[in-house]
């Protein structure tokens, strides 16, 4: 390692100037991952309290038979919001926050791949959460259950604004989840330190990587379902109304296509915490690293094959039920492998018990019980017996609280010293743990029994004399004991930041990089970036903290336009290029504000204002994109150790390209879910075939297909011309792309415009959405082509700096493929399936 | 597959290829079962008294199993030259074998159950 020529204090001063967040209103401009991550965690914990208060109201109501504490209307809002808040506003965001905060520190980076995207995601989450919270306070909260089943949530049975609040508020929050999904995926794959190959990556990063990819694929079906239901409620397009060719089961499919992977999206990061803590407290490297990686990937896939097990009672053919029942049993195997690896590591090591380990003990006991009742529920006959009873409520809480809350508390107490520089209290923490553990089991074990005795879910009261009273009272007492435990955790946290004992540099004896940082960590994390040669670099080189502060790593000398971190080759971890990170700026906040204007105006049915919000948001995003790149070809930069690397502006596969790639994966999942819905309605919905088919002149779809193909070629032509430095030809190709995009959009829009109104039948409604999806992508592609044309003229693009064109090409590859698929579906499906 | 192939970004696709085949099999079986039932193709009309839907499902299932077997064969005969490539190969093999078992497990009921009952 080469020694730098500036002192550690000078290095700190220079880096901190670049990375720190301004004070006052400037805090709104923060893009620093530590600050954004902590904001996610704090806001998530706030919503945990909100969800907990709602749970206490539920338990107060159900403590006795025939209780008059809450009416049915209030109870419906409360249990719906309890589930919604806990799932969408607490569980996912808090785990995202933990990942955003920790990943760069564990992977040896100074920030994430797209820090501004995370900041934008946070504000979307914050504003979306506020919409839901405001509705709760105004008594307008959703009241159809957290899964919003149709037709109950439709406009006939829920005519007020309640369902719209859920559909729009949750979709707004999901924008944030998708942003975090893309952010985390690209960060783990590309933004690591030198030498951190995939096989040396901390297991936590593997878990978070798979989780992020699951978010990218898992959330779009629900976003699509929400859009369709909102279209039905707002504009009377029938997707779920049976009389006009819709099917309420389509909602269930779209919801659970998201909903079941969601369970694993919550569980996997928590399991990542377990896999991080166990080797530390067992004082032994994790046994079966490769097997655990394989288990994580397998879980990620199999969890997408389970969704119908939430629908075993809706009348699906037995063979299909067996597919899903088999997959439901299958998913226990990779989870079991992880459990055996954890047990083996504990047996091989010399475990010692501290507060985080105690929470892991709680996790092991509670989650195993939840897993066992899960296997029971995977069996179709048993499932039929306990469907919609409190047995399912008990199972779900054993899985979610056992699988997420206990590991989260373990993780929070374990990593608290990183964030605060202080140790958690063992005394208060132990009391809190036992209160939570005992209270939880008292609350939810009883629900297995009330469920087996036939007590249904979602009822606001019950008659006396059914044998449910004592068990319910015990459940409620348990709930309040658990709440006292949670209050003690909060008290502990409060005291911790004020009078907690100072933490040593590596209090638990861990081997991962986050423990090399000063406590609390500086805004830029690492003074210089380490080169790692094993999975536990701190165990290899205990002197690493001093060496990094002294500049004995990479990127040790901050350049004047600083904010740099390394991007590496995906698998080998070899340094690939230097990433220039953004300065604090207003774009993420403004982008989220205008996106919020769009969502809120739509909610209030102020559609012109919604259009203005969308246009303003687009303007902010374009301005944001304009601020990237440079007008001169860069020289390779010194990175230390004699290595010279190009900045990302001159690299074809820069993080921005990868970001779009995974965004398009999410986008493609929306289209796949839409095509699934189309096929589902054709084959399963009762009122099909439709009264008439769309009769098209073949010229329109042919013209559309031709324009899409020309678009595909033009984007590639522009890139090829740019490589030859033929600026004139590049401009011509871009103009051709503009025209082809407009023509393709026009042809796609002509299909629903020439058909009967979408309100007539689900067939016309789905066709309109399919065509609208294609046209929207073409029009966005046109805007992008125009944008790149201007960027070319402004000097941001050259034969070396081709990122803009690569991004444009990727977009048009997708748009052309998707457009052709849509045209094929619209034209060919009636031909194949019509009687 | 060469050692270098395990180090390219596409190696990530190689890692999940087995489960992509599993997913394809799962989606195809579920979709074609629904379409077959919608088109009333569950009457005995094929060879051995099999109905057309079952026949299609069995063929789809076998094709996916064959694809997985081929993938395992190709991965197994590769010779990684460094520890990173060796890790990718080992994890890929675990995943491909488990995907094969998962495809067998999820798909075998097509042999025994009527598709539309």
């Amino acid at each position: 390692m080469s020694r730098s020529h500036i002192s550690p204090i000078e290095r700190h001063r220079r880096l901190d100037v670049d990375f720190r967040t301004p004070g006052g209103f400037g805090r709104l401009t923060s893009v620093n991952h530590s600050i954004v991550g902590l904001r996610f965690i704090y806001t998530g914990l706030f919503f945990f309290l909100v969800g907990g208060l709602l749970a206490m109201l539920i338990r107060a109501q159900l403590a006795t038979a025939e209780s008059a504490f809450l009416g049915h209307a209030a109870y419906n809002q409360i249990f719906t919001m309890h589930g919604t808040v806990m799932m969408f506003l607490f569980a996912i965001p808090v785990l995202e926050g933990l990942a955003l905060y920790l990943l760069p520190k564990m992977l040896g980076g100074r920030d994430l791949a797209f820090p501004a995207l995370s900041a934008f995601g946070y504000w979307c989450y914050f504003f979306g959460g506020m919409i839901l919270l405001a509705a709760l306070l105004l008594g307008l909260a959703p009241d159809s259950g957290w899964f919003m089943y149709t037709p109950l949530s439709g406009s006939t049975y829920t005519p007020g604004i309640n369902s719209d609040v859920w559909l729009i508020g949750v979709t707004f929050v999901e924008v944030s989840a998708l942003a975090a999904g893309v952010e985390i995926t690209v960060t783990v794959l590309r933004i690591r330190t030198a030498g951190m190959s995939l096989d040396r990556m901390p297991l936590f990063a593997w878990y978070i990587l798979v989780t992020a990819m699951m978010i990218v694929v898992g959330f779009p079906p629900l976003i699509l379902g929400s859009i369709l239901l909102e279209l039905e409620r707002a504009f009377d397009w029938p997707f779920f109304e049976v009389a006009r060719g819709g099917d309420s089961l389509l909602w269930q499919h779209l919801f659970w296509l998201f909903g079941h992977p969601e369970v694993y999206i919550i569980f996997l990061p928590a399991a990542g915490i377990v896999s991080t803590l166990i080797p530390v407290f067992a004082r032994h490297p994790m046994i079966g690293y490769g097997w655990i990686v394989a288990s994580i990937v397998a879980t990620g896939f199999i969890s997408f094959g389970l969704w119908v097990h939430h629908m075993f009672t809706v009348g699906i053919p037995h063979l299909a039920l067996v597919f899903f029942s088999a997959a439901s049993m299958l998913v226990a195997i990779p989870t079991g492998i992880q459990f055996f690896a954890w047990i083996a590591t504990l047996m091989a090591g010399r475990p010692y018990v501290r507060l985080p380990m105690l929470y892991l003990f709680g996790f092991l006991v509670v989650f195993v019980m939840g897993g066992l009742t899960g296997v029971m529920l995977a069996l179709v006959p048993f499932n039929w017996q306990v469907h919609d009873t409190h047995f399912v409520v008990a199972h779900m809480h054993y899985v979610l609280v056992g699988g997420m809350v206990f590991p989260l508390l373990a993780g929070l107490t374990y990593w608290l010293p990183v964030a605060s520089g202080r140790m958690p209290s063992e005394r208060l923490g132990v009391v809190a743990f036992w209160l939570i553990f005992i209270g939880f089991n008292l609350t939810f074990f009883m629900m297995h029994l009330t469920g087996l005795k036939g007590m249904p879910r979602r009822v606001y009261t019950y008659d006396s004399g059914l044998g449910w009273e004592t068990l319910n009272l015990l459940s409620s007492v348990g709930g309040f004991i658990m709440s006292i435990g949670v209050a003690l955790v909060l008290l502990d946290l409060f005291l911790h930041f004020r009078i907690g004992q100072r933490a040593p540099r590596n209090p638990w004896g861990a081997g991962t990089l986050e423990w090399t940082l000063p406590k609390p960590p500086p805004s830029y994390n690492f003074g210089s970036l380490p080169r790692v040669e094993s999975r536990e670099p701190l165990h290899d080189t205990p002197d690493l903290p001093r060496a990094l502060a002294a500049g004995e790593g990479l990127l040790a000398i901050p350049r004047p336009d600083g904010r740099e971190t390394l991007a590496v080759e995906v698998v080998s971890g070899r340094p690939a290029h230097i990433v220039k990170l953004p300065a604090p700026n207003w774009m993420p906040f403004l982008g989220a504000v205008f996106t919020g204007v769009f969502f809120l105006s739509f909610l209030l049915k102020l559609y012109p204002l919604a259009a203005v919000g969308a246009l303003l948001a687009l303007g902010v995003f374009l301005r944001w994109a304009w601020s990237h790149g440079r007008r001169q070809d860069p020289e390779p930069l010194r990175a230390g150790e004699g290595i010279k690397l190009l900045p990302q502006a001159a690299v074809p596969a820069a993080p921005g390209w990868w970001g779009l790639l995974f965004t398009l994966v999410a986008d493609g999942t929306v289209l796949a879910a839409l095509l699934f819905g189309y096929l589902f309605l054709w084959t399963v919905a009762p009122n099909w075939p439709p009264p008439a088919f769309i009769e098209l002149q073949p010229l329109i779809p042919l013209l559309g297909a031709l324009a899409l193909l020309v678009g595909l070629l033009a984007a590639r032509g522009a890139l090829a011309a740019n490589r030859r430095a033929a600026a004139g030809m590049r401009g011509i190709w871009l103009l051709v792309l503009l025209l082809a995009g407009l023509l393709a959009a026009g042809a796609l829009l002509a299909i629903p415009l020439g058909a009967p109104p979408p309100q007539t039948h689900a067939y016309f409604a789905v066709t309109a959405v399919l065509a609208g999806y294609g046209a929207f992508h073409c029009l966005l592609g046109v805007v992008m082509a125009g944008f790149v044309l201007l960027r070319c003229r402004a000097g941001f693009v050259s034969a070396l700096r081709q990122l803009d064109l690569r991004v444009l090409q990727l977009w048009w590859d997708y748009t052309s493929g998707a457009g052709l698929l849509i045209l094929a579906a619209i034209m060919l499906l009636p031909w194949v399936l019509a009687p | 597959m060469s050692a270098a192939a395990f180090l390219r970004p596409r190696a990530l696709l190689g890692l999940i290829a087995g489960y992509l085949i599993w997913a394809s099999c799962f989606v195809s079986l579920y979709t074609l079962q629904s379409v077959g039932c919608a088109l009333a193709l569950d009457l005995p009309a094929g060879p051995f008294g099999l109905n057309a839907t079952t026949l299609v499902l069995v063929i789809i299932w076998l094709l996916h199993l064959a694809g997985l077997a081929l993938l395992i064969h190709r991965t197994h005969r590769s010779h990684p030259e460094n520890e990173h490539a060796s890790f990718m190969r080992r994890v890929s093999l675990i995943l491909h074998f488990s995907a094969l078992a998962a495809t067998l497990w999820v798909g075998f009921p097509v042999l025994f159950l009527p598709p539309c009952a």
Side-chain angles (χ1 to χ4, degrees), chain A residues 217-231:
Chain A
V217 180
F219 274 62
L222 180 59
I223 291 177
L224 173 73
S226 300
I227 291 170
L228 297 186
L229 185 50
E230 191 53 34
L231 284 174

Side-chain angles (χ1 to χ4, degrees), chain A residues 197 199-200 253 294 305 318 322 326, chain B residues 26 30 83-84 87 95 105 109 117:
Chain A
S197 51
D199 54 310
R200 289 176 188 158
H253 276 292
H318 286 176
V322 172
Chain B
F26 194 85
Y30 180 52
E83 56 174 311
H84 313 310
F87 170 81
L95 281 166
W105 171 247

Side-chain angles (χ1 to χ4, degrees), chain A residues 189 197-200 206 253 289-291 293-295 297-298 301-302 304-308 316-320 322-324 326-327 329-330 535 570-572 574 658 676 679-680 682-684 832-833, chain B residues 6-9 11-12 15-16 19-20 22-23 26 29-31 33-35 37-39 57 82-85 87-88 90-91 94-95 98 101-103 105-107 109-111 113-117:
Chain A
L189 291 179
S197 51
L198 286 182
D199 54 310
R200 289 176 188 158
W206 271 107
H253 276 292
Y289 179 96
W291 281 91
V293 170
S295 300
V297 176
F301 272 92
I302 297 172
F304 279 90
L306 317 183
W307 83 89
V308 167
I316 291 170
H318 286 176
L319 180 60
V322 172
F323 293 152
F324 290 95
M329 285 181 248
L330 204 59
R535 286 175 197 149
V570 175
V571 179
S572 69
R574 211 175 296 143
W658 283 78
F676 163 79
L679 197 62
F680 177 84
W682 263 103
T683 53
V684 177
V832 175
L833 287 176
Chain B
F6 281 109
L7 298 177
R8 292 192 199 115
L12 284 177
L15 200 68
I16 60 173
Y19 269 95
L20 286 176
W22 173 85
F26 194 85
L29 289 181
Y30 180 52
T31 307
Q33 180 255 343
S34 290
V35 172
C37 295
L39 297 176
L57 296 183
N82 64 35
E83 56 174 311
H84 313 310
F87 170 81
M88 294 298 283
R90 194 163 62 85
V91 176
I94 296 173
L95 281 166
S98 70
T103 307
W105 171 247
V106 168
V110 297
L111 298 174
L113 285 175
C116 306

Side-chain angles (χ1 to χ4, degrees), chain A residues 726-779:
Chain A
M729 204 56 214
R730 180 184 66 193
I732 291 171
W733 277 121
L734 287 174
L735 282 172
V736 171
L737 182 57
L738 272 168
L739 293 175
L742 284 172
L743 192 63
L748 281 159
L749 285 177
I751 296 172
L753 289 175
Q759 289 86 350
T760 323
H761 191 273
Y763 166 64
F764 303 118
V766 175
T767 305
V769 174
L770 274 169
Y773 176 96
F776 175 74
H777 281 73
C778 290
L779 290 176

Side-chain angles (χ1 to χ4, degrees), chain A residues 592-604:
Chain A
V593 166
F594 293 134
T595 311
V597 168
F598 167 74
F599 278 113
L600 199 57
S601 308
F602 204 96
L603 178 63
L604 301 173

Side-chain angles (χ1 to χ4, degrees), chain A residues 392-426:
Chain A
V392 179
V393 179
H395 158 71
M396 180 172 72
H397 283 84
Y398 264 84
V399 171
L400 291 174
V401 177
M404 186 266 173
V405 177
F406 278 102
L408 177 72
L409 289 170
L412 284 181
T413 46
Y414 173 75
W415 278 300
L416 260 178
V418 172
S420 67
R422 296 172 187 271
M423 295 300 289
S425 156
E426 292 281 335

